[in-house]
């Protein structure tokens, strides 16, 4: 499951109100699918001249200075702790890209142990704690290589890093002699499982059945395996490594979500699923019987769960309308266990667990408190702070709190939204509506330096959770699957209708911008095209402009997962055309900025280029920024600053 990130014509507000009445309904107009204007993925699908032409221009020093200061705010993130509780490894992007650090005790000076410009992440500590598994990605391609580091010498050894191949750890063997990993090197749309022997440096193929496989848990020679058939459709199997026997156990006759682990008793499985109730619940599955672990009367989704290696305690996170609350139960009798009180926390979730289960990282935040982690020792009943959040030159106590509000959709459904308001602005305050990615995502409250930058710039910052978002039950999440999206896509336009009417001052409606990344980028493009006139300007990042070309060109492993969400390219061809922003490009009148990573493996760079080209041909005010060293969104510090700075500047130009 998913647990949780991140300019020239001006149309008058009065004209927008008129357009709502005179524009014919979208579904009644003839739809003609646009022919593909590009092919391929990544840097190979675009010329070096284009990349250079659309490079981001530098920001003015005073603008960059404030953004860089805000980016220096860093929460005390989670890490991987040793069994003795005397050492922790964690990742930090303080150097500009994510690298791994080592800390030899609470509040001790951390030491950087990996370096370079390529993002590096912790993949797991070996049981004997002599080796640290690492993932390293180049340029945001999301094709990480797998490495191991000697924790004594710091020497790094490559297991596998192959171009256009994802190599990720599955687990360490109990004797720490082998690493099991998966890779899509046999077929780009399928994951095979390998064993790598650290002594002989040899890899052995151990599982090669076609499919998007993942080992969810391991106990001796038993694997608990998940096969993904869609983003929200999984089947669960057991696999005996010794006998090579694969046995189906859950999800084979249905289309539901499953996240699973082995339970405390032999034969028991813990399953987080929405298969048996309107909301996602956590169950203990014994044979064919499901026994609820999370309260049966709880009217909220469970966002995630974990069980420690010793099968002592089960942790799960309740998603209460976007607020996260952590609960713990005894793995044997399922009685709830008390956690230490954390003052003024809006959200609390689990960071990580030590291998023996003694130590649990509890992470919390609020609108004014960056993410902070405390280590709780179950044996000593004591919590310890290892690192504190850093907020140089910034008083976060003044940050705007996210207010949970709602707006009515045209069918009367109340759509939840989080709203952050500046303390003062020229009335009516300009508004920026930000749609989250996914679409199986959720905007949540808590600490956000990025949201505060919008507030500091004088904008009301609005984050809706339209139908299709997670966290509100199965019906809400699946309301936009495939052709059903046509019935609820209007939630995007209805947000602007409400804001213009309800937040007007002295008869003057606020100007409204729309933004978002990934699916939020798609939502932005829909808002600007299908619902042209609803918003005064738009900034989209890595968004889909044509669902047909997206499905044709995205990474093969992604294509299989996204068809279940957006629709089949053949069977649902007409629907994909009706739901593609480029179909309505003739309607666009308001200015649009597109920002895209060239190496994006999910949404091809061609999606941004083709919509920009169409707008330029029609002389619609539009801009394009390409980052040659980024993938699905900016990750490097400099590029993040450029993204935020140009986005705020674009809206300041057209909304103020």
């Amino acid at each position: 499951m998913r647990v949780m990130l991140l300019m020239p014509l001006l149309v008058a507000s009065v004209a927008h109100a008129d357009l709502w009445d005179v524009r014919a309904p979208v579904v009644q107009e003839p739809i003609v699918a646009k022919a593909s204007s590009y092919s391929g993925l990544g840097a190979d699908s675009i010329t070096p001249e284009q990349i250079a032409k659309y490079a981001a221009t530098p920001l003015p020093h005073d603008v960059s200075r404030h953004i860089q200061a805000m980016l220096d705010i860093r929460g005390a993130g989670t890490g991987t702790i040793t069994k003795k509780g005397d050492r922790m490894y964690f990742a930090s992007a303080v150097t500009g890209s994510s690298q791994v650090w080592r800390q030899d005790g609470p509040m001790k000076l951390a030491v950087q142990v990996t370096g370079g410009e390529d993002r590096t992440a912790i993949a797991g500590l070996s049981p004997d704690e002599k080796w640290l598994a690492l993932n390293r990605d180049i340029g945001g391609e999301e094709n990480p290589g797998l490495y191991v580091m000697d924790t004594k010498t710091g020497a790094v050894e490559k297991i596998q890093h192959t171009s256009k191949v994802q190599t990720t750890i599955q687990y360490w063997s109990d004797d720490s002699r082998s690493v099991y990993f998966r890779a899509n090197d046999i077929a780009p749309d399928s994951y095979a499982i390998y064993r790598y022997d650290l002594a002989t440096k040899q890899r052995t193929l151990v599982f090669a059945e076609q499919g998007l496989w993942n080992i969810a848990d391991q106990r001796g020679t038993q694997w608990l395996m998940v096969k993904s058939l869609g983003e929200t459709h999984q089947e669960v199997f057991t696999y005996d490594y010794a006998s090579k026997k694969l046995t189906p156990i859950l999800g084979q006759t249905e289309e539901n979500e499953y996240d699973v682990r082995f339970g405390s008793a032999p034969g028991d499985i813990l399953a987080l699923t929405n298969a048996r109730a309107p909301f996602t619940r956590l169950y203990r599955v014994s044979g064919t019987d499901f026994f609820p672990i999370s309260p049966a009367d709880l009217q909220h989704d469970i966002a995630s769960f974990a069980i420690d290696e010793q099968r002592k305690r089960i942790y799960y996170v309740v998603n209460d309308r976007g607020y996260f609350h952590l609960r713990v139960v005894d793995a044997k009798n399922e009685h709830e266990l008390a956690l230490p009180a954390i003052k003024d926390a809006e959200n609390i979730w689990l960071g990580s667990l030590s291998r023996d289960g003694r130590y649990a990282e509890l992470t919390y935040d609020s609108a004014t408190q960056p993410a902070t982690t405390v280590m709780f020792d179950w044996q000593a009943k004591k919590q310890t702070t290892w690192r504190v959040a850093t907020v140089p030159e910034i008083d976060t106590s003044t940050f705007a709190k996210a207010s949970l509000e709602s707006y009515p959709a045209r069918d009367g459904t109340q759509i939840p939204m989080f709203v952050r308001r500046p303390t003062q602005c020229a009335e009516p305050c300009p508004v920026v509506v930000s749609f989250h990615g996914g679409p199986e995502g959720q905007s949540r409250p808590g600490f956000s330096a990025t949201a505060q930058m919008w507030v500091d710039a004088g904008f009301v910052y609005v984050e809706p959770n339209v139908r299709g978002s997670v966290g509100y039950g199965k019906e809400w999440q699946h309301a936009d699957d495939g052709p059903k999206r046509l019935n609820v896509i209007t939630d995007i336009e209805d947000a602007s209708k409400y804001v213009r009417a309800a937040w007007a001052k002295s008869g003057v409606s606020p100007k409204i911008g729309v933004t978002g990344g990934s699916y939020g980028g798609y939502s932005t493009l829909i808002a600007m095209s299908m619902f042209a006139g609803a918003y005064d300007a738009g900034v989209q990042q890595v968004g889909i402009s044509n669902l047909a070309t997206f499905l044709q060109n995205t990474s093969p492993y992604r294509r299989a997962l996204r068809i279940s969400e957006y629709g089949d390219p053949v069977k649902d061809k007409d629907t994909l055309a009706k739901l593609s922003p480029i179909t309505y490009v003739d309607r666009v009148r308001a200015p649009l900025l597109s920002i895209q990573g060239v190496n994006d493996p999910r949404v091809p760079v061609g999606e941004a280029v083709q919509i920009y080209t169409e707008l330029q041909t029609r002389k619609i005010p539009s801009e394009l920024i390409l980052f040659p060293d980024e993938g699905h969104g900016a990750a490097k510090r400099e590029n993040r600053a450029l993204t935020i700075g140009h986005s705020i500047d674009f809206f300041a130009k057209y909304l103020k």
Side-chain angles (χ1 to χ4, degrees):
M1 299 286 186
R2 296 152 212 84
V3 218
M4 41 178 227
L5 83 165
L6 132 147
M7 290 167 174
L9 289 173
L10 190 60
V11 181
S13 298
V14 175
H16 291 318
D18 293 337
L19 281 172
W20 292 336
D21 296 327
V22 302
R23 185 175 65 244
V26 170
V27 295
Q28 294 180 10
E29 297 182 359
I31 301 299
V32 179
K34 294 279 183 180
S36 176
S37 62
Y38 76 95
S39 64
L41 188 68
D44 295 339
S45 66
I46 191 172
T47 68
E49 291 75 19
Q50 286 176 301
I51 295 175
K53 180 179 180 180
Y54 300 116
T57 57
L59 298 171
H61 175 73
D62 58 336
V63 174
S64 179
R65 179 70 181 82
H66 177 66
I67 295 172
Q68 295 286 357
M70 294 291 275
L71 292 179
D72 277 334
I73 299 176
R74 291 185 177 85
T78 63
T80 299
I81 196 166
T82 56
K83 288 178 288 187
K84 291 182 179 180
D86 58 352
R87 172 176 287 185
M88 181 187 294
Y89 296 92
F90 65 94
S92 171
V94 67
T95 62
S97 63
S98 178
Q99 298 299 330
V100 178
W101 298 65
R102 188 193 76 231
Q103 188 176 356
D104 295 329
M107 302 304 294
K108 298 289 186 180
L109 180 66
V111 177
Q112 186 176 350
V113 296
T114 68
E117 66 175 1
D118 299 325
R119 287 184 289 178
T120 305
I122 299 170
L125 184 64
S126 64
D128 64 7
E129 300 181 348
K130 293 181 179 180
W131 301 94
L132 188 67
L134 306 170
N135 275 131
R136 178 164 286 163
D137 184 44
I138 298 174
E141 294 178 343
E142 297 182 20
N143 292 315
L146 182 61
Y147 300 76
V148 290
M149 171 183 284
D150 186 315
T151 58
K152 184 176 181 180
T153 68
V156 175
E157 171 185 323
K158 181 175 70 175
I159 292 180
Q160 177 171 294
H161 198 163
T162 305
S163 177
K164 300 182 180 179
V165 170
Q166 294 184 323
T167 304
T168 55
I169 194 171
Q170 296 292 275
Y171 69 95
W172 281 95
S173 64
D174 294 335
D175 60 10
S176 300
R177 295 179 180 178
S178 303
V179 175
Y180 289 80
F181 66 89
R182 72 173 190 171
N184 58 339
D185 50 358
I186 296 177
D189 59 350
S190 181
Y191 293 116
I193 310 294
Y194 297 88
R195 182 183 69 251
Y196 179 82
D197 187 281
L198 271 69
T200 65
K201 318 295 185 190
Q202 298 295 314
R203 74 167 195 170
T204 304
L205 178 64
V206 295
F207 184 87
E209 183 164 327
Q210 177 74 20
L212 297 174
W213 294 95
N214 178 61
I215 302 176
D217 205 352
Q218 168 265 339
R219 178 181 279 173
T221 63
Q222 291 290 311
W223 293 355
L224 192 55
M225 302 191 73
V226 174
K227 182 180 182 181
S228 292
L229 302 177
E231 198 70 38
T232 59
H233 179 193
Q234 291 83 35
E235 295 179 346
V236 182
F237 301 76
T238 56
Y239 180 72
D240 187 275
Y241 180 68
S243 66
K244 311 299 182 187
K245 183 180 180 181
L246 186 68
T247 305
I249 57 170
L250 291 171
Q252 280 70 31
T253 60
E254 52 192 85
E255 294 186 12
N256 290 301
E257 294 184 336
Y258 281 95
D259 187 16
V260 291
R261 303 289 185 275
F262 284 122
S264 61
D268 278 4
I269 290 172
L270 304 179
L272 185 63
T273 181
N274 57 7
R276 305 177 70 85
F279 293 90
T280 301
R281 290 180 179 167
L282 179 60
Y283 300 89
R284 177 173 57 85
V285 182
S286 181
T288 59
D289 296 323
F290 283 66
F291 302 95
I293 294 175
S294 58
D297 59 349
L298 188 66
Q299 298 299 297
H300 302 299
D301 283 339
I302 305 303
S304 62
F305 84 102
I307 183 171
D308 57 55
E309 294 276 356
Q310 304 304 314
R311 317 291 164 175
K312 293 179 180 178
R313 302 175 189 92
I314 300 169
Y315 302 74
Y316 65 91
V317 176
V318 178
N319 186 339
D320 180 358
R321 299 164 300 162
Y323 296 90
F324 277 9
H325 307 303
L326 178 65
R327 296 185 181 181
V328 187
V329 298
D330 186 290
K332 292 184 178 179
N333 58 33
E334 298 169 11
H335 292 164
E336 188 155 0
L337 304 174
L339 285 168
I342 298 178
K343 186 179 179 181
D344 299 328
E346 288 184 348
N347 302 283
I348 303 177
W349 63 97
L350 179 68
S352 65
L353 298 166
S354 62
R355 191 171 182 86
D356 61 2
R358 175 176 173 176
Y359 299 100
E361 281 189 306
L362 311 180
T363 305
Y364 63 95
D365 78 347
S366 71
T368 57
Q369 171 64 56
T372 302
T373 296
V374 295
M375 190 68 65
F376 182 62
D377 182 341
W378 282 101
Q379 182 174 309
K381 303 297 182 184
K382 177 184 177 182
Q383 64 183 52
T384 305
T385 300
W386 275 69
R387 295 183 306 284
V388 295
T390 58
V391 289
E393 301 185 19
I394 303 294
D395 180 7
T396 61
S397 68
T398 65
F399 279 24
K401 185 175 181 179
S403 171
L404 178 55
E405 303 177 22
S406 65
Y407 67 89
R410 60 196 60 188
D411 64 0
T413 301
Q414 289 295 315
I415 308 298
M417 61 179 176
F418 289 101
V419 182
R420 302 176 199 243
R421 293 179 170 84
T423 54
Q424 60 182 12
C425 62
E427 299 283 3
C429 295
V431 177
V432 171
V433 180
S434 177
F435 291 98
H436 63 69
E440 310 91 344
Q442 183 185 34
S443 293
R444 298 184 49 246
F447 190 84
S448 174
T450 300
Q452 186 61 33
M453 281 189 258
W454 288 104
V455 173
D456 288 345
F459 297 98
V460 178
Y461 192 63
V462 180
E463 298 175 281
N465 282 313
V466 297
R467 281 171 282 193
S469 306
V470 299
Y472 304 93
K474 185 175 181 179
E475 182 179 354
W476 191 276
Q477 179 180 341
H478 290 289
D480 68 341
D481 289 356
K484 291 193 295 183
R485 182 168 274 103
L486 286 167
N487 300 325
V488 298
I489 197 78
T490 48
D491 289 355
I492 294 172
E493 183 184 32
D494 290 341
S496 74
K497 284 187 174 184
Y498 172 80
V499 168
R500 288 196 193 279
W503 296 355
K505 298 293 183 180
S506 302
V508 179
S509 295
K511 291 186 173 68
I512 312 174
V514 59
T515 190
S518 192
Y519 185 79
Y522 164 81
S523 298
T524 298
L525 292 173
I526 281 290
M528 299 291 287
S529 58
M530 179 186 285
F531 303 123
Y535 294 88
D536 299 293
V539 177
Q540 73 91 9
Q541 299 179 47
V542 296
I544 302 166
S545 60
N546 185 331
L547 287 166
T549 56
F550 159 71
L551 291 172
Q552 174 185 329
N553 292 289
T554 191
S555 298
Y557 75 93
R558 293 284 302 171
R559 185 177 302 116
L561 299 177
R562 302 322 288 163
I563 284 175
S564 63
E565 176 65 40
Y566 297 120
D568 184 271
V570 177
K571 183 177 66 176
D572 300 315
K573 180 180 179 180
D574 291 343
T575 299
L576 292 177
K578 290 178 182 179
L579 288 166
S580 290
I582 205 163
T583 301
Y584 312 99
V585 70
D586 290 341
R587 297 182 180 181
V588 181
R589 294 293 179 270
L592 174 70
L593 167 63
S594 293
I595 304 174
Q596 177 75 42
V598 171
N599 299 324
D600 194 336
R602 306 188 194 192
V603 177
V605 62
E607 291 297 308
V609 173
Q610 69 182 358
I611 192 72
Y612 170 77
T613 302
E614 292 279 358
L615 294 178
Q616 286 286 294
T617 300
R618 291 164 174 76
K619 302 187 183 306
I620 302 301
S622 54
E623 298 180 18
L624 175 65
I625 293 175
L626 300 181
F627 291 117
D629 54 350
E630 296 284 9
H632 197 60
K636 295 181 178 179
R637 180 189 175 98
E638 180 181 358
N639 295 337
R640 291 176 61 203
L642 288 167
T643 296
I644 296 167
H646 282 288
S647 298
I648 291 176
D649 179 67
F650 193 85
F651 281 136
K653 182 177 181 180
Y654 290 109
L655 302 183
K656 292 187 175 182

